[in-house]
mmCIF file of all heavy atoms in Angstrom:
data_model
loop_
_atom_site.group_PDB
_atom_site.id
_atom_site.type_symbol
_atom_site.label_atom_id
_atom_site.label_comp_id
_atom_site.label_asym_id
_atom_site.label_seq_id
_atom_site.Cartn_x
_atom_site.Cartn_y
_atom_site.Cartn_z
ATOM 1 N N ASP M 795 3.246 24.776 -29.514
ATOM 2 C CA ASP M 795 4.218 25.378 -30.427
ATOM 3 C C ASP M 795 5.123 26.299 -29.603
ATOM 4 O O ASP M 795 4.726 27.391 -29.202
ATOM 5 C CB ASP M 795 3.464 26.173 -31.500
ATOM 6 C CG ASP M 795 4.431 26.821 -32.474
ATOM 7 O OD1 ASP M 795 5.664 26.726 -32.257
ATOM 8 O OD2 ASP M 795 3.950 27.434 -33.453
ATOM 9 N N LYS M 796 6.325 25.799 -29.356
ATOM 10 C CA LYS M 796 7.234 26.524 -28.456
ATOM 11 C C LYS M 796 7.611 27.898 -29.006
ATOM 12 O O LYS M 796 7.844 28.834 -28.243
ATOM 13 C CB LYS M 796 8.506 25.695 -28.213
ATOM 14 C CG LYS M 796 8.247 24.402 -27.456
ATOM 15 C CD LYS M 796 8.413 24.590 -25.954
ATOM 16 C CE LYS M 796 8.515 23.270 -25.243
ATOM 17 N NZ LYS M 796 7.396 22.815 -24.502
ATOM 18 N N THR M 797 7.657 28.003 -30.352
ATOM 19 C CA THR M 797 8.062 29.299 -30.908
ATOM 20 C C THR M 797 6.979 30.343 -30.652
ATOM 21 O O THR M 797 7.278 31.514 -30.444
ATOM 22 C CB THR M 797 8.337 29.208 -32.423
ATOM 23 O OG1 THR M 797 7.139 28.773 -33.068
ATOM 24 C CG2 THR M 797 9.462 28.254 -32.729
ATOM 25 N N ALA M 798 5.716 29.895 -30.614
ATOM 26 C CA ALA M 798 4.630 30.841 -30.342
ATOM 27 C C ALA M 798 4.700 31.343 -28.908
ATOM 28 O O ALA M 798 4.267 32.447 -28.597
ATOM 29 C CB ALA M 798 3.285 30.178 -30.593
ATOM 30 N N LEU M 799 5.269 30.504 -28.033
ATOM 31 C CA LEU M 799 5.348 30.881 -26.630
ATOM 32 C C LEU M 799 6.378 31.964 -26.382
ATOM 33 O O LEU M 799 6.291 32.692 -25.412
ATOM 34 C CB LEU M 799 5.737 29.668 -25.779
ATOM 35 C CG LEU M 799 4.646 28.643 -25.501
ATOM 36 C CD1 LEU M 799 5.181 27.633 -24.514
ATOM 37 C CD2 LEU M 799 3.403 29.310 -24.949
ATOM 38 N N LYS M 800 7.404 32.045 -27.273
ATOM 39 C CA LYS M 800 8.491 32.998 -27.021
ATOM 40 C C LYS M 800 7.924 34.405 -27.014
ATOM 41 O O LYS M 800 7.147 34.788 -27.859
ATOM 42 C CB LYS M 800 9.561 32.857 -28.103
ATOM 43 C CG LYS M 800 10.450 31.670 -27.817
ATOM 44 C CD LYS M 800 11.811 31.832 -28.439
ATOM 45 C CE LYS M 800 12.628 30.577 -28.193
ATOM 46 N NZ LYS M 800 12.917 29.867 -29.440
ATOM 47 N N THR M 801 8.371 35.188 -26.083
ATOM 48 C CA THR M 801 7.886 36.555 -26.025
ATOM 49 C C THR M 801 8.366 37.295 -27.264
ATOM 50 O O THR M 801 9.475 37.079 -27.745
ATOM 51 C CB THR M 801 8.402 37.257 -24.765
ATOM 52 O OG1 THR M 801 9.791 37.025 -24.680
ATOM 53 C CG2 THR M 801 7.700 36.748 -23.542
ATOM 54 N N THR M 802 7.567 38.190 -27.795
ATOM 55 C CA THR M 802 7.885 38.854 -29.052
ATOM 56 C C THR M 802 8.648 40.150 -28.829
ATOM 57 O O THR M 802 9.184 40.731 -29.746
ATOM 58 C CB THR M 802 6.599 39.139 -29.835
ATOM 59 O OG1 THR M 802 5.682 39.745 -28.939
ATOM 60 C CG2 THR M 802 6.014 37.871 -30.400
ATOM 61 N N THR M 803 8.667 40.594 -27.588
ATOM 62 C CA THR M 803 9.432 41.816 -27.306
ATOM 63 C C THR M 803 10.374 41.561 -26.151
ATOM 64 O O THR M 803 10.236 40.568 -25.432
ATOM 65 C CB THR M 803 8.494 42.975 -26.917
ATOM 66 O OG1 THR M 803 7.723 42.553 -25.807
ATOM 67 C CG2 THR M 803 7.594 43.361 -28.072
ATOM 68 N N GLN M 804 11.339 42.466 -26.006
ATOM 69 C CA GLN M 804 12.306 42.329 -24.918
ATOM 70 C C GLN M 804 12.498 43.660 -24.215
ATOM 71 O O GLN M 804 12.384 44.701 -24.845
ATOM 72 C CB GLN M 804 13.655 41.868 -25.481
ATOM 73 C CG GLN M 804 13.590 40.466 -26.035
ATOM 74 C CD GLN M 804 14.856 40.115 -26.775
ATOM 75 O OE1 GLN M 804 15.577 40.990 -27.252
ATOM 76 N NE2 GLN M 804 15.117 38.828 -26.872
ATOM 77 N N GLN M 805 12.807 43.568 -22.940
ATOM 78 C CA GLN M 805 13.061 44.774 -22.142
ATOM 79 C C GLN M 805 14.565 44.988 -21.999
ATOM 80 O O GLN M 805 15.297 44.021 -21.797
ATOM 81 C CB GLN M 805 12.466 44.591 -20.741
ATOM 82 C CG GLN M 805 10.973 44.353 -20.714
ATOM 83 C CD GLN M 805 10.205 45.639 -20.890
ATOM 84 O OE1 GLN M 805 10.517 46.652 -20.278
ATOM 85 N NE2 GLN M 805 9.200 45.620 -21.762
ATOM 86 N N PHE M 806 14.991 46.229 -22.132
ATOM 87 C CA PHE M 806 16.404 46.557 -21.896
ATOM 88 C C PHE M 806 16.496 47.682 -20.862
ATOM 89 O O PHE M 806 15.740 48.661 -20.941
ATOM 90 C CB PHE M 806 17.079 47.055 -23.186
ATOM 91 C CG PHE M 806 17.354 45.957 -24.170
ATOM 92 C CD1 PHE M 806 16.378 45.582 -25.098
ATOM 93 C CD2 PHE M 806 18.585 45.293 -24.195
ATOM 94 C CE1 PHE M 806 16.626 44.571 -26.020
ATOM 95 C CE2 PHE M 806 18.826 44.281 -25.110
ATOM 96 C CZ PHE M 806 17.843 43.916 -26.022
ATOM 97 N N VAL M 807 17.418 47.523 -19.939
ATOM 98 C CA VAL M 807 17.742 48.619 -19.017
ATOM 99 C C VAL M 807 18.732 49.527 -19.758
ATOM 100 O O VAL M 807 19.635 49.038 -20.430
ATOM 101 C CB VAL M 807 18.374 48.056 -17.722
ATOM 102 C CG1 VAL M 807 19.012 49.163 -16.908
ATOM 103 C CG2 VAL M 807 17.316 47.316 -16.915
ATOM 104 N N VAL M 808 18.544 50.827 -19.635
ATOM 105 C CA VAL M 808 19.456 51.749 -20.310
ATOM 106 C C VAL M 808 20.349 52.433 -19.272
ATOM 107 O O VAL M 808 19.843 53.040 -18.326
ATOM 108 C CB VAL M 808 18.670 52.814 -21.114
ATOM 109 C CG1 VAL M 808 19.656 53.788 -21.800
ATOM 110 C CG2 VAL M 808 17.775 52.139 -22.147
ATOM 111 N N GLN M 809 21.663 52.283 -19.450
ATOM 112 C CA GLN M 809 22.620 52.980 -18.578
ATOM 113 C C GLN M 809 23.316 54.056 -19.392
ATOM 114 O O GLN M 809 23.639 53.841 -20.568
ATOM 115 C CB GLN M 809 23.682 51.995 -18.060
ATOM 116 C CG GLN M 809 23.170 51.091 -16.960
ATOM 117 C CD GLN M 809 24.286 50.232 -16.371
ATOM 118 O OE1 GLN M 809 25.392 50.180 -16.916
ATOM 119 N NE2 GLN M 809 23.987 49.578 -15.271
ATOM 120 N N ILE M 810 23.543 55.185 -18.756
ATOM 121 C CA ILE M 810 24.317 56.235 -19.429
ATOM 122 C C ILE M 810 25.505 56.564 -18.535
ATOM 123 O O ILE M 810 25.316 56.896 -17.354
ATOM 124 C CB ILE M 810 23.440 57.476 -19.704
ATOM 125 C CG1 ILE M 810 22.344 57.071 -20.714
ATOM 126 C CG2 ILE M 810 24.282 58.635 -20.253
ATOM 127 C CD1 ILE M 810 21.288 58.099 -20.934
ATOM 128 N N ASN M 811 26.689 56.348 -19.087
ATOM 129 C CA ASN M 811 27.945 56.510 -18.324
ATOM 130 C C ASN M 811 27.875 55.757 -16.995
ATOM 131 O O ASN M 811 28.222 56.273 -15.940
ATOM 132 C CB ASN M 811 28.252 57.994 -18.094
ATOM 133 C CG ASN M 811 28.635 58.673 -19.399
ATOM 134 O OD1 ASN M 811 29.041 58.002 -20.376
ATOM 135 N ND2 ASN M 811 28.489 59.985 -19.460
#
Side-chain angles (χ1 to χ4, degrees):
D795 180 355
K796 294 268 195 255
T797 60
L799 283 187
K800 280 205 183 114
T801 49
T802 49
T803 57
Q804 293 171 336
Q805 300 281 315
F806 286 87
V807 166
V808 179
Q809 284 186 350
I810 295 171
N811 290 339

